[in-house]
């Protein structure tokens, strides 16, 4: 099975916080997967968005949707959902790695030595 990246927009409130209901994002992912006719799974960016908001703001009530299921694609279509947390494209460098990158940038193109 292939794993593909399809990242629809999450639903946000006017104050910049994440909406509790991420069904529009999940539906968009399900529609996209339907269009692939079973040829792929997808990274679950809906779960990523909810996890980051829940952990960053201690809002653990977000980890269950209105039906008592996980709030991302995994709650609707677990067979086609692949957990995604972070990587180099989404800010997952971590403090240590970020410090190393900052030191390399400060050293310039030739490096530190």
């Amino acid at each position: 099975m292939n794993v593909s990246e399809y990242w629809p927009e999450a639903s946000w409130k006017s104050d910049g916080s994440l909406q509790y209901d991420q069904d529009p994002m999940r539906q968009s992912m399900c529609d996209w997967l339907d269009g692939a006719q079973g040829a792929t799974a997808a990274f679950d960016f809906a779960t990523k968005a909810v996890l980051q908001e829940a952990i960053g703001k201690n809002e653990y009530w977000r980890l269950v949707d209105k039906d008592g299921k996980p709030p991302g694609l995994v709650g609707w279509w677990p067979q086609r959902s692949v957990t995604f947390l972070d990587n180099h494209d989404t800010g997952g460098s971590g403090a240590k790695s970020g410090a190393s990158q900052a030191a390399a940038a400060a050293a310039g193109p030739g490096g530190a030595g």
Side-chain angles (χ1 to χ4, degrees):
M1 165 109 17
N2 295 314
V3 178
S4 299
E5 183 174 312
Y6 173 70
W7 198 326
E9 184 62 37
S11 298
W12 300 92
K13 295 180 184 178
S14 60
D15 67 1
S17 63
L18 192 69
Q19 290 277 1
Y20 173 70
D21 181 7
Q22 290 301 311
D23 288 357
M25 185 179 195
R26 293 197 285 185
Q27 187 61 57
S28 180
M29 295 177 79
C30 288
D31 293 346
W32 185 83
L33 285 166
D34 279 338
Q37 300 177 355
T40 190
F43 287 119
D44 189 354
F45 293 117
T47 292
K48 174 191 174 9
V50 172
L51 279 173
Q52 286 185 313
E53 192 85 353
I55 292 168
K57 295 182 177 179
N58 293 321
E59 296 177 348
Y60 300 108
W61 48 266
R62 292 181 173 278
L63 299 178
V64 178
D65 72 7
K66 66 186 180 305
D67 298 318
K69 296 181 179 183
L73 180 63
V74 69
W76 280 7
W77 204 348
Q79 302 87 345
R80 295 279 189 242
S81 173
V82 177
T83 303
F84 183 91
L85 298 177
D86 253 334
N87 71 12
H88 62 277
D89 291 330
T90 63
S93 61
K96 183 175 181 182
S97 181
S100 299
Q101 290 173 358

